[in-house]
PDB file of all heavy atoms in Angstrom:
ATOM      1  N   ASP L   1      18.352  36.772 -27.723  1.00  0.00           N
ATOM      2  CA  ASP L   1      18.632  36.576 -29.143  1.00  0.00           C
ATOM      3  C   ASP L   1      19.769  35.584 -29.345  1.00  0.00           C
ATOM      4  O   ASP L   1      19.739  34.763 -30.262  1.00  0.00           O
ATOM      5  CB  ASP L   1      18.963  37.906 -29.819  1.00  0.00           C
ATOM      6  CG  ASP L   1      17.746  38.804 -29.988  1.00  0.00           C
ATOM      7  OD1 ASP L   1      16.605  38.283 -29.950  1.00  0.00           O
ATOM      8  OD2 ASP L   1      17.934  40.024 -30.141  1.00  0.00           O
ATOM      9  N   SER L   2      20.789  35.651 -28.486  1.00  0.00           N
ATOM     10  CA  SER L   2      21.934  34.741 -28.615  1.00  0.00           C
ATOM     11  C   SER L   2      21.508  33.285 -28.391  1.00  0.00           C
ATOM     12  O   SER L   2      21.996  32.379 -29.068  1.00  0.00           O
ATOM     13  CB  SER L   2      23.036  35.119 -27.625  1.00  0.00           C
ATOM     14  OG  SER L   2      22.558  35.055 -26.291  1.00  0.00           O
ATOM     15  N   GLU L   3      20.565  33.055 -27.450  1.00  0.00           N
ATOM     16  CA  GLU L   3      20.062  31.698 -27.201  1.00  0.00           C
ATOM     17  C   GLU L   3      19.213  31.215 -28.375  1.00  0.00           C
ATOM     18  O   GLU L   3      19.316  30.072 -28.809  1.00  0.00           O
ATOM     19  CB  GLU L   3      19.234  31.662 -25.919  1.00  0.00           C
ATOM     20  CG  GLU L   3      20.062  31.928 -24.682  1.00  0.00           C
ATOM     21  CD  GLU L   3      19.241  32.263 -23.456  1.00  0.00           C
ATOM     22  OE1 GLU L   3      18.129  32.831 -23.591  1.00  0.00           O
ATOM     23  OE2 GLU L   3      19.715  31.964 -22.351  1.00  0.00           O
ATOM     24  N   ARG L   4      18.381  32.102 -28.877  1.00  0.00           N
ATOM     25  CA  ARG L   4      17.538  31.756 -30.023  1.00  0.00           C
ATOM     26  C   ARG L   4      18.408  31.354 -31.219  1.00  0.00           C
ATOM     27  O   ARG L   4      18.135  30.360 -31.896  1.00  0.00           O
ATOM     28  CB  ARG L   4      16.642  32.937 -30.387  1.00  0.00           C
ATOM     29  CG  ARG L   4      15.535  32.617 -31.352  1.00  0.00           C
ATOM     30  CD  ARG L   4      14.638  33.813 -31.628  1.00  0.00           C
ATOM     31  NE  ARG L   4      14.216  34.560 -30.458  1.00  0.00           N
ATOM     32  CZ  ARG L   4      13.221  34.210 -29.639  1.00  0.00           C
ATOM     33  NH1 ARG L   4      12.562  33.106 -29.857  1.00  0.00           N
ATOM     34  NH2 ARG L   4      12.889  34.966 -28.618  1.00  0.00           N
ATOM     35  N   LYS L   5      19.460  32.114 -31.466  1.00  0.00           N
ATOM     36  CA  LYS L   5      20.365  31.824 -32.581  1.00  0.00           C
ATOM     37  C   LYS L   5      21.108  30.509 -32.341  1.00  0.00           C
ATOM     38  O   LYS L   5      21.229  29.678 -33.243  1.00  0.00           O
ATOM     39  CB  LYS L   5      21.364  32.973 -32.756  1.00  0.00           C
ATOM     40  CG  LYS L   5      22.311  32.798 -33.901  1.00  0.00           C
ATOM     41  CD  LYS L   5      23.230  33.997 -34.062  1.00  0.00           C
ATOM     42  CE  LYS L   5      24.209  33.781 -35.195  1.00  0.00           C
ATOM     43  NZ  LYS L   5      25.133  34.896 -35.353  1.00  0.00           N
ATOM     44  N   LEU L   6      21.579  30.311 -31.117  1.00  0.00           N
ATOM     45  CA  LEU L   6      22.350  29.114 -30.775  1.00  0.00           C
ATOM     46  C   LEU L   6      21.536  27.835 -30.955  1.00  0.00           C
ATOM     47  O   LEU L   6      22.039  26.824 -31.441  1.00  0.00           O
ATOM     48  CB  LEU L   6      22.855  29.222 -29.326  1.00  0.00           C
ATOM     49  CG  LEU L   6      23.688  28.072 -28.787  1.00  0.00           C
ATOM     50  CD1 LEU L   6      24.993  27.930 -29.567  1.00  0.00           C
ATOM     51  CD2 LEU L   6      23.983  28.302 -27.305  1.00  0.00           C
ATOM     52  N   TYR L   7      20.258  27.880 -30.577  1.00  0.00           N
ATOM     53  CA  TYR L   7      19.437  26.667 -30.594  1.00  0.00           C
ATOM     54  C   TYR L   7      18.433  26.611 -31.744  1.00  0.00           C
ATOM     55  O   TYR L   7      17.592  25.713 -31.791  1.00  0.00           O
ATOM     56  CB  TYR L   7      18.698  26.530 -29.259  1.00  0.00           C
ATOM     57  CG  TYR L   7      19.632  26.473 -28.071  1.00  0.00           C
ATOM     58  CD1 TYR L   7      19.506  27.374 -27.023  1.00  0.00           C
ATOM     59  CD2 TYR L   7      20.653  25.532 -28.012  1.00  0.00           C
ATOM     60  CE1 TYR L   7      20.370  27.330 -25.936  1.00  0.00           C
ATOM     61  CE2 TYR L   7      21.519  25.480 -26.933  1.00  0.00           C
ATOM     62  CZ  TYR L   7      21.370  26.381 -25.894  1.00  0.00           C
ATOM     63  OH  TYR L   7      22.225  26.334 -24.834  1.00  0.00           O
ATOM     64  N   SER L   8      18.502  27.521 -32.687  1.00  0.00           N
ATOM     65  CA  SER L   8      17.513  27.581 -33.769  1.00  0.00           C
ATOM     66  C   SER L   8      17.513  26.305 -34.614  1.00  0.00           C
ATOM     67  O   SER L   8      16.462  25.899 -35.110  1.00  0.00           O
ATOM     68  CB  SER L   8      17.756  28.802 -34.653  1.00  0.00           C
ATOM     69  OG  SER L   8      19.021  28.694 -35.280  1.00  0.00           O
ATOM     70  N   LYS L   9      18.629  25.632 -34.746  1.00  0.00           N
ATOM     71  CA  LYS L   9      18.700  24.421 -35.570  1.00  0.00           C
ATOM     72  C   LYS L   9      17.966  23.244 -34.920  1.00  0.00           C
ATOM     73  O   LYS L   9      17.675  22.248 -35.579  1.00  0.00           O
ATOM     74  CB  LYS L   9      20.157  24.052 -35.842  1.00  0.00           C
ATOM     75  CG  LYS L   9      20.939  23.659 -34.590  1.00  0.00           C
ATOM     76  CD  LYS L   9      22.394  23.346 -34.924  1.00  0.00           C
ATOM     77  CE  LYS L   9      23.165  22.923 -33.701  1.00  0.00           C
ATOM     78  NZ  LYS L   9      23.621  24.032 -32.878  1.00  0.00           N
ATOM     79  N   ASN L  10      17.633  23.358 -33.640  1.00  0.00           N
ATOM     80  CA  ASN L  10      16.970  22.272 -32.912  1.00  0.00           C
ATOM     81  C   ASN L  10      15.467  22.478 -32.806  1.00  0.00           C
ATOM     82  O   ASN L  10      14.836  21.913 -31.917  1.00  0.00           O
ATOM     83  CB  ASN L  10      17.568  22.136 -31.503  1.00  0.00           C
ATOM     84  CG  ASN L  10      19.032  21.769 -31.538  1.00  0.00           C
ATOM     85  OD1 ASN L  10      19.528  21.305 -32.549  1.00  0.00           O
ATOM     86  ND2 ASN L  10      19.725  21.979 -30.445  1.00  0.00           N
ATOM     87  N   ASN L  11      14.884  23.299 -33.689  1.00  0.00           N
ATOM     88  CA  ASN L  11      13.453  23.585 -33.641  1.00  0.00           C
ATOM     89  C   ASN L  11      13.047  24.139 -32.273  1.00  0.00           C
ATOM     90  O   ASN L  11      12.015  23.774 -31.724  1.00  0.00           O
ATOM     91  CB  ASN L  11      12.632  22.342 -33.999  1.00  0.00           C
ATOM     92  CG  ASN L  11      11.216  22.704 -34.387  1.00  0.00           C
ATOM     93  OD1 ASN L  11      10.949  23.817 -34.844  1.00  0.00           O
ATOM     94  ND2 ASN L  11      10.304  21.777 -34.198  1.00  0.00           N
ATOM     95  N   PHE L  12      13.868  24.978 -31.734  1.00  0.00           N
ATOM     96  CA  PHE L  12      13.677  25.579 -30.409  1.00  0.00           C
ATOM     97  C   PHE L  12      12.674  26.717 -30.524  1.00  0.00           C
ATOM     98  O   PHE L  12      12.830  27.606 -31.337  1.00  0.00           O
ATOM     99  CB  PHE L  12      15.041  26.099 -29.937  1.00  0.00           C
ATOM    100  CG  PHE L  12      15.075  26.626 -28.540  1.00  0.00           C
ATOM    101  CD1 PHE L  12      14.920  25.782 -27.458  1.00  0.00           C
ATOM    102  CD2 PHE L  12      15.292  27.967 -28.302  1.00  0.00           C
ATOM    103  CE1 PHE L  12      14.992  26.261 -26.166  1.00  0.00           C
ATOM    104  CE2 PHE L  12      15.361  28.462 -27.011  1.00  0.00           C
ATOM    105  CZ  PHE L  12      15.211  27.599 -25.945  1.00  0.00           C
ATOM    106  N   GLN L  13      11.606  26.682 -29.700  1.00  0.00           N
ATOM    107  CA  GLN L  13      10.571  27.700 -29.758  1.00  0.00           C
ATOM    108  C   GLN L  13      10.216  28.176 -28.365  1.00  0.00           C
ATOM    109  O   GLN L  13      10.371  27.451 -27.390  1.00  0.00           O
ATOM    110  CB  GLN L  13       9.311  27.136 -30.419  1.00  0.00           C
ATOM    111  CG  GLN L  13       9.514  26.736 -31.855  1.00  0.00           C
ATOM    112  CD  GLN L  13       8.241  26.196 -32.447  1.00  0.00           C
ATOM    113  OE1 GLN L  13       7.164  26.708 -32.175  1.00  0.00           O
ATOM    114  NE2 GLN L  13       8.355  25.170 -33.265  1.00  0.00           N
ATOM    115  N   GLN L  14       9.708  29.394 -28.299  1.00  0.00           N
ATOM    116  CA  GLN L  14       9.260  29.982 -27.039  1.00  0.00           C
ATOM    117  C   GLN L  14       7.762  30.226 -27.108  1.00  0.00           C
ATOM    118  O   GLN L  14       7.253  30.730 -28.101  1.00  0.00           O
ATOM    119  CB  GLN L  14       9.981  31.314 -26.811  1.00  0.00           C
ATOM    120  CG  GLN L  14       9.448  32.104 -25.636  1.00  0.00           C
ATOM    121  CD  GLN L  14      10.207  33.411 -25.448  1.00  0.00           C
ATOM    122  OE1 GLN L  14      11.290  33.408 -24.924  1.00  0.00           O
ATOM    123  NE2 GLN L  14       9.619  34.502 -25.909  1.00  0.00           N
ATOM    124  N   PHE L  15       7.048  29.865 -26.027  1.00  0.00           N
ATOM    125  CA  PHE L  15       5.621  30.110 -25.921  1.00  0.00           C
ATOM    126  C   PHE L  15       5.355  30.822 -24.611  1.00  0.00           C
ATOM    127  O   PHE L  15       5.646  30.289 -23.543  1.00  0.00           O
ATOM    128  CB  PHE L  15       4.821  28.793 -25.955  1.00  0.00           C
ATOM    129  CG  PHE L  15       5.005  28.020 -27.228  1.00  0.00           C
ATOM    130  CD1 PHE L  15       5.957  27.021 -27.307  1.00  0.00           C
ATOM    131  CD2 PHE L  15       4.241  28.309 -28.345  1.00  0.00           C
ATOM    132  CE1 PHE L  15       6.140  26.307 -28.472  1.00  0.00           C
ATOM    133  CE2 PHE L  15       4.420  27.600 -29.522  1.00  0.00           C
ATOM    134  CZ  PHE L  15       5.372  26.594 -29.588  1.00  0.00           C
ATOM    135  N   PHE L  16       4.813  32.018 -24.676  1.00  0.00           N
ATOM    136  CA  PHE L  16       4.480  32.789 -23.476  1.00  0.00           C
ATOM    137  C   PHE L  16       3.161  32.275 -22.915  1.00  0.00           C
ATOM    138  O   PHE L  16       2.163  32.208 -23.620  1.00  0.00           O
ATOM    139  CB  PHE L  16       4.365  34.278 -23.808  1.00  0.00           C
ATOM    140  CG  PHE L  16       3.953  35.098 -22.624  1.00  0.00           C
ATOM    141  CD1 PHE L  16       4.875  35.449 -21.660  1.00  0.00           C
ATOM    142  CD2 PHE L  16       2.633  35.473 -22.465  1.00  0.00           C
ATOM    143  CE1 PHE L  16       4.481  36.176 -20.561  1.00  0.00           C
ATOM    144  CE2 PHE L  16       2.230  36.209 -21.367  1.00  0.00           C
ATOM    145  CZ  PHE L  16       3.168  36.565 -20.410  1.00  0.00           C
ATOM    146  N   ILE L  17       3.161  31.903 -21.616  1.00  0.00           N
ATOM    147  CA  ILE L  17       1.913  31.434 -20.992  1.00  0.00           C
ATOM    148  C   ILE L  17       1.548  32.203 -19.731  1.00  0.00           C
ATOM    149  O   ILE L  17       0.472  32.023 -19.200  1.00  0.00           O
ATOM    150  CB  ILE L  17       1.959  29.927 -20.682  1.00  0.00           C
ATOM    151  CG1 ILE L  17       3.097  29.614 -19.710  1.00  0.00           C
ATOM    152  CG2 ILE L  17       2.067  29.119 -21.953  1.00  0.00           C
ATOM    153  CD1 ILE L  17       3.048  28.218 -19.151  1.00  0.00           C
ATOM    154  N   GLY L  18       2.424  33.059 -19.224  1.00  0.00           N
ATOM    155  CA  GLY L  18       2.088  33.815 -18.025  1.00  0.00           C
ATOM    156  C   GLY L  18       3.276  34.581 -17.486  1.00  0.00           C
ATOM    157  O   GLY L  18       4.363  34.546 -18.048  1.00  0.00           O
ATOM    158  N   TYR L  19       3.037  35.275 -16.404  1.00  0.00           N
ATOM    159  CA  TYR L  19       4.071  36.066 -15.739  1.00  0.00           C
ATOM    160  C   TYR L  19       4.576  35.358 -14.489  1.00  0.00           C
ATOM    161  O   TYR L  19       3.828  34.633 -13.832  1.00  0.00           O
ATOM    162  CB  TYR L  19       3.521  37.436 -15.323  1.00  0.00           C
ATOM    163  CG  TYR L  19       3.319  38.387 -16.475  1.00  0.00           C
ATOM    164  CD1 TYR L  19       2.050  38.613 -16.985  1.00  0.00           C
ATOM    165  CD2 TYR L  19       4.393  39.047 -17.046  1.00  0.00           C
ATOM    166  CE1 TYR L  19       1.861  39.483 -18.044  1.00  0.00           C
ATOM    167  CE2 TYR L  19       4.212  39.914 -18.105  1.00  0.00           C
ATOM    168  CZ  TYR L  19       2.943  40.132 -18.595  1.00  0.00           C
ATOM    169  OH  TYR L  19       2.758  40.986 -19.639  1.00  0.00           O
ATOM    170  N   ASP L  20       5.816  35.612 -14.149  1.00  0.00           N
ATOM    171  CA  ASP L  20       6.438  35.125 -12.924  1.00  0.00           C
ATOM    172  C   ASP L  20       6.132  36.144 -11.830  1.00  0.00           C
ATOM    173  O   ASP L  20       6.473  37.314 -11.970  1.00  0.00           O
ATOM    174  CB  ASP L  20       7.954  35.012 -13.150  1.00  0.00           C
ATOM    175  CG  ASP L  20       8.697  34.398 -11.999  1.00  0.00           C
ATOM    176  OD1 ASP L  20       8.068  33.810 -11.110  1.00  0.00           O
ATOM    177  OD2 ASP L  20       9.938  34.501 -11.989  1.00  0.00           O
ATOM    178  N   GLY L  21       5.463  35.747 -10.785  1.00  0.00           N
ATOM    179  CA  GLY L  21       5.108  36.668  -9.704  1.00  0.00           C
ATOM    180  C   GLY L  21       6.234  36.833  -8.696  1.00  0.00           C
ATOM    181  O   GLY L  21       6.957  35.893  -8.393  1.00  0.00           O
ATOM    182  N   VAL L  22       6.387  38.035  -8.209  1.00  0.00           N
ATOM    183  CA  VAL L  22       7.380  38.334  -7.184  1.00  0.00           C
ATOM    184  C   VAL L  22       6.668  39.032  -6.041  1.00  0.00           C
ATOM    185  O   VAL L  22       5.920  39.987  -6.259  1.00  0.00           O
ATOM    186  CB  VAL L  22       8.508  39.245  -7.739  1.00  0.00           C
ATOM    187  CG1 VAL L  22       9.491  39.609  -6.641  1.00  0.00           C
ATOM    188  CG2 VAL L  22       9.216  38.576  -8.892  1.00  0.00           C
ATOM    189  N   CYS L  23       6.876  38.563  -4.842  1.00  0.00           N
ATOM    190  CA  CYS L  23       6.245  39.153  -3.663  1.00  0.00           C
ATOM    191  C   CYS L  23       7.320  39.826  -2.815  1.00  0.00           C
ATOM    192  O   CYS L  23       8.342  39.217  -2.504  1.00  0.00           O
ATOM    193  CB  CYS L  23       5.543  38.059  -2.862  1.00  0.00           C
ATOM    194  SG  CYS L  23       4.752  38.668  -1.378  1.00  0.00           S
ATOM    195  N   ILE L  24       7.097  41.064  -2.469  1.00  0.00           N
ATOM    196  CA  ILE L  24       8.030  41.811  -1.643  1.00  0.00           C
ATOM    197  C   ILE L  24       7.410  41.966  -0.255  1.00  0.00           C
ATOM    198  O   ILE L  24       6.260  42.398  -0.134  1.00  0.00           O
ATOM    199  CB  ILE L  24       8.306  43.215  -2.241  1.00  0.00           C
ATOM    200  CG1 ILE L  24       8.736  43.109  -3.706  1.00  0.00           C
ATOM    201  CG2 ILE L  24       9.318  43.966  -1.399  1.00  0.00           C
ATOM    202  CD1 ILE L  24       9.949  42.261  -3.961  1.00  0.00           C
ATOM    203  N   VAL L  25       8.139  41.600   0.766  1.00  0.00           N
ATOM    204  CA  VAL L  25       7.645  41.726   2.134  1.00  0.00           C
ATOM    205  C   VAL L  25       8.675  42.473   2.978  1.00  0.00           C
ATOM    206  O   VAL L  25       9.868  42.453   2.684  1.00  0.00           O
ATOM    207  CB  VAL L  25       7.339  40.349   2.780  1.00  0.00           C
ATOM    208  CG1 VAL L  25       6.242  39.639   2.033  1.00  0.00           C
ATOM    209  CG2 VAL L  25       8.580  39.481   2.829  1.00  0.00           C
ATOM    210  N   VAL L  26       8.198  43.152   4.005  1.00  0.00           N
ATOM    211  CA  VAL L  26       9.083  43.783   4.983  1.00  0.00           C
ATOM    212  C   VAL L  26       8.699  43.245   6.361  1.00  0.00           C
ATOM    213  O   VAL L  26       7.577  42.784   6.566  1.00  0.00           O
ATOM    214  CB  VAL L  26       8.995  45.327   4.969  1.00  0.00           C
ATOM    215  CG1 VAL L  26       9.439  45.877   3.627  1.00  0.00           C
ATOM    216  CG2 VAL L  26       7.613  45.811   5.320  1.00  0.00           C
ATOM    217  N   SER L  27       9.638  43.310   7.276  1.00  0.00           N
ATOM    218  CA  SER L  27       9.361  42.834   8.630  1.00  0.00           C
ATOM    219  C   SER L  27       8.318  43.717   9.301  1.00  0.00           C
ATOM    220  O   SER L  27       8.100  44.870   8.912  1.00  0.00           O
ATOM    221  CB  SER L  27      10.651  42.843   9.458  1.00  0.00           C
ATOM    222  OG  SER L  27      11.070  44.176   9.682  1.00  0.00           O
ATOM    223  N   LYS L  28       7.672  43.193  10.314  1.00  0.00           N
ATOM    224  CA  LYS L  28       6.682  43.950  11.081  1.00  0.00           C
ATOM    225  C   LYS L  28       7.317  45.202  11.670  1.00  0.00           C
ATOM    226  O   LYS L  28       6.705  46.277  11.692  1.00  0.00           O
ATOM    227  CB  LYS L  28       6.089  43.073  12.184  1.00  0.00           C
ATOM    228  CG  LYS L  28       5.009  43.765  12.994  1.00  0.00           C
ATOM    229  CD  LYS L  28       4.366  42.797  13.966  1.00  0.00           C
ATOM    230  CE  LYS L  28       3.299  43.360  14.856  1.00  0.00           C
ATOM    231  NZ  LYS L  28       2.872  44.701  14.758  1.00  0.00           N
ATOM    232  N   GLN L  29       8.554  45.089  12.124  1.00  0.00           N
ATOM    233  CA  GLN L  29       9.263  46.228  12.715  1.00  0.00           C
ATOM    234  C   GLN L  29       9.396  47.373  11.709  1.00  0.00           C
ATOM    235  O   GLN L  29       9.132  48.532  12.039  1.00  0.00           O
ATOM    236  CB  GLN L  29      10.650  45.789  13.187  1.00  0.00           C
ATOM    237  CG  GLN L  29      11.502  46.908  13.721  1.00  0.00           C
ATOM    238  CD  GLN L  29      12.930  46.456  14.036  1.00  0.00           C
ATOM    239  OE1 GLN L  29      13.311  45.317  13.784  1.00  0.00           O
ATOM    240  NE2 GLN L  29      13.714  47.362  14.574  1.00  0.00           N
TER     241      GLN L  29
END
């Protein structure tokens, strides 16, 4: 919200297009 308020005068918009994937791995051991 603070970023949206700070940059609102610059026609700043957000568009959701997907998720950021995170992969968790453990060693073979």
Side-chain angles (χ1 to χ4, degrees):
D1 288 340
S2 60
E3 294 165 331
R4 192 177 314 280
K5 182 177 178 182
L6 180 63
Y7 302 124
S8 63
K9 65 182 181 279
N10 297 342
N11 198 26
F12 186 68
Q13 296 180 39
Q14 172 180 282
F15 299 94
F16 177 79
I17 61 169
Y19 287 102
D20 185 14
V22 177
C23 179
I24 307 303
V25 297
V26 297
S27 68
K28 182 174 179 3
Q29 176 186 4

